Amino acid sequence: MTPRETTRLDRRGFLGAAGLAGAGLAATATGLRAAPPAAPDPLITTVQDWARTLGDGVQARPYGSPSQYEKHVVRRDVEWLTASRESSVNFTPLHELDGIITPSGLCFERHHGGIAEIEPGKHRLMINGLVDKPMVFTVEDLKRFPGRQNHAYFLECAANSGMEWRGAQLNGCQFTHGMVHNVWYTGIPLKTLLDEAGVRTNAKWLLAEGADSSGMTRSIPLEKGLKDCLVVWSMNGEALRPEQGYPVRLVVPGWEGNMWVKWLRRIEVGDQPWHQREETSKYTDLLADGRSRRFTFVMDAKSVVTNPSPQAPLKHKGPNVLSGLAWSGRGRISRVDVSLDGGRNWRSARIDGPVLPMSLTRFYVDFDWNGQEMMIQSRAIDETGYVQPTKDELRKVRGVNSIYHNNGIQTWLVHANGETENVEIG
Amino acid sequence: MSRSAELLAGATLLAGLAWAGMGLAQQRPAAAPAAVPAAAQPAKTGLGREAHPAEVAAWSIAVRPDGQGLPPGRGSVKQGEDIFQTQCAACHGEFGEGAGRWPVLAGGRGSLKGENPEKTLGSFWPYLSTTFDYVRRAMPYGNAQSLSNDEVYALTAYIMFLNDLVPESFELTRENFTSIPMPNVGGFYDDDRETSERAFWNPNPCMSDCRPTPPRVTGRARVIDVTPEGRSGPRVE
C-alpha cells in the first residue's frame, strides 16, 4: 500500500467514525474535477501589468513588509477588555499563520505601562541581593558572554482564553487563543549572569524587574532561573521588537507570559518570594471556595484548531486542510487528537515540523468535507501524559472565576455553508 | 589588490583575531586557581562591573511582606486623603470606588465566593507590603516614581482606612507596618494542580463512542456579539 493510499483510507475512516461519510464524500474521494470553463480566463489570456512593467528595485524596500494584499493580517485588540490602551493586550492572528514561528510584527503585545522606548546604550541590567558582588551589565557586555544559545519557545499570557471561562464570548481564535506567540530567541542563560555575581548558598528566589513605568516585577524560584531561563536580546534572528522588550527580556520557558519580564533591568536574589502585585492581586487563580492558587507558573497542555475557525470559515466542499497549534509548558507535545463530532470520536492528527519542548507544534488533518455540520475539537497530549481537559472538566475543579490558565478544549461549530462559530456544547 | 584578494586578506586577519581571542580565553583558567580555591566555583568571565551602593539603592526598591525593603518614613490617613484626592481620585474615585472602568481599591469584603467577586486591597490582597511597593514603583499611572516615601506611607494608610482596616487617626510608619493583618492573608495556597488535577494525566483517553448522544450547542459567541469588527466572523455566501 502506498503512503498516499494509507492517507486516503485514514481520512475516510476518520470521517466514517465521525458519522460524516456520505455520497458527496465518496464523489470527491474518487477525484471529480471541474470541467474547463466556457470562456477563457483573462488572467491567463491577457498580459497582466506585473508581467509587462518593471517593479520596484532592490532598495525600494530596505526593510521589507508583507504584501499590500495581506493588510488584514494584523494584531487586533478588544477595547472593552481593559480601561486603558497602555495597560492592555492585543492578539496574534493565529488563523492567518502556519508553521510554528510567529512573525515578530504579529506577536501579541501585553504591556502594563505602554511600550518603553529604550536606547540600548542607556540600558543597564543589575544583579543584586544575595550575591557575592552586586553587578551591572550593559547590553554590549551581555553579547560578549560565552555560551550563547538559540531556542524556540512559546510565550502564552496566563489570561489567554480567560474571557471564555463563563462561556463562548469572542468569535475567532485570534481573540480566544491569540495571546500566544512562538519565536526563536538568542541570548545567554540567566545562570551565566548569576554565576558572574556569585549566588549565595541561602538564595532561593529571584525577583525579575522591568525598566518600564509599570516597574514589572515577578518572583521566580531560583531553581527555574538556573535551569533554563534566558536573558535574550534577539527574536527570530534580529533585535527584539520594542513591544517585546527591546533591548533585553527574560525568557521563562513553559511558564506564564507575565513572568517573561520585558525591558529587563534587574534581577534581585533573595531567600523568599516578594509577593508583588503581579503575583498577589494578579496572576493568582480564585477558585470556587473563595481561596486562590498562587504561583501557578506552568502553562498546561493546550491546543486550538486555527483553520477552520470563525475568522477562517470553510469555503469549499471536497478536499480541505484542518490545521492547528498545540503546546505544553511541561515539555514536548506527544500527540494531538481531533474530533469532528464534538468529542464523540477522535483521530490523531498529523504533526508536521519540529516538535520542540515548550514550543508551539503544528498539526494537520487532511479531510474531505461534504457540507455537513461539524463540531470541531482538538485535544493535546504532552510527554508527561497530561491530556488537555474539556472546559467543563476544568470548571468542575476551579469554578468560573479563576481568570487565568484556561486550557480547555475549544469547539468550533461549522455550519453547512462553511460559516464557523465559537460555541460551547453539552 | 583584486577585490577577492582583499576579501581573502580580511578573512585571514579575522581568523587571526579569533585565534588570538581563544588564546586569551585559554590563559584565564591557568591564572584562576590561585584566586579561587573552591572547586565548585563557576568560572567568571570578568564581564560587567561591580554595582555602586547608590545604584543598588536607587533600583532595589522591592518590599517584602516581612517589611524587608521598607524605607524610613511615616504618613497619616489624613495626609493620605489629601494626596489621594489630588493624585489618585481622578481614576480610583474619592473613596477608592473606581471611576468609570478604573480599578476599585476598596470594598468587596466577603465577595470572593460569590458570583461576581470584587478583588480589592481589603477583600483580596494578602499583604500590605504589596500596596506600598506597587504604589511606590508604578503609581500614579503615567507619572510613576514621583511620590516621596512619606507620601507612599500616607497613601497606604488612607487606602487601609478606606478598607476599614485602621481608624481615621491612624499613622503608618516603618515600625508599625507589619503589625496590621490583612483580611485575606490566609486565602492563598501554592499551585497544587499536579495533585488536585491528577485526573488530567490519562494514559488512555477515550477515542471512539465517547458519549452516548450527540452533543448540543449550549452557548454561542455570536449571540453575545462582543467581538470587534465583522472580520472576526465572515459570513460565507
Side-chain angles (χ1 to χ4, degrees), chain A residues 80 166 294 346 398 421, chain B residues 101 115 190 197 220:
Chain A
W80 56 262
R166 285 166 185 258
R294 68 180 174 197
W346 299 86
R398 305 187 194 169
E421 275 191 74
Chain B
R101 305 199 41 235
E115 182 74 4
D190 289 349
E197 298 180 355
R220 300 173 62 189

Side-chain angles (χ1 to χ4, degrees), chain A residues 46-180:
Chain A
T46 62
V47 177
Q48 301 298 305
D49 284 349
W50 56 80
R52 184 175 61 244
T53 62
L54 297 175
D56 281 348
V58 289
Q59 263 308 93
R61 308 176 191 198
Y63 195 116
S65 303
S67 159
Q68 59 177 304
Y69 306 108
E70 298 294 320
K71 284 200 165 76
H72 56 288
V73 184
V74 289
R75 300 183 279 222
R76 291 176 193 279
D77 71 348
V78 178
E79 274 202 44
W80 56 262
L81 275 178
T82 51
S84 83
R85 314 323 299 139
E86 295 77 26
S87 180
S88 194
V89 66
N90 63 14
F91 300 87
T92 306
L94 298 178
H95 61 293
E96 297 281 0
L97 305 178
D98 213 326
I100 64 168
I101 295 298
T102 315
S104 299
L106 294 176
C107 289
F108 85 96
E109 301 164 74
R110 182 20 169 161
H111 320 304
H112 294 75
I115 300 169
E117 294 279 2
I118 300 176
E119 191 180 323
K122 293 183 176 174
H123 189 71
R124 302 287 183 271
L125 174 55
M126 181 185 290
I127 312 271
N128 72 297
L130 297 179
V131 293
D132 296 334
K133 186 162 85 167
M135 298 206 65
V136 172
F137 302 98
T138 64
V139 179
E140 285 195 15
D141 291 337
L142 300 180
K143 292 179 178 176
R144 292 170 62 203
F145 267 94
R148 193 181 292 187
Q149 294 187 1
N150 290 278
H151 293 278
Y153 291 123
F154 77 81
L155 185 168
E156 184 182 17
C157 178
N160 200 20
S161 315
M163 297 83 78
E164 304 287 308
W165 269 113
R166 285 166 185 258
Q169 273 217 75
L170 289 162
N171 215 23
C173 71
Q174 178 167 18
F175 302 107
T176 57
H177 290 74
M179 286 192 237
V180 67

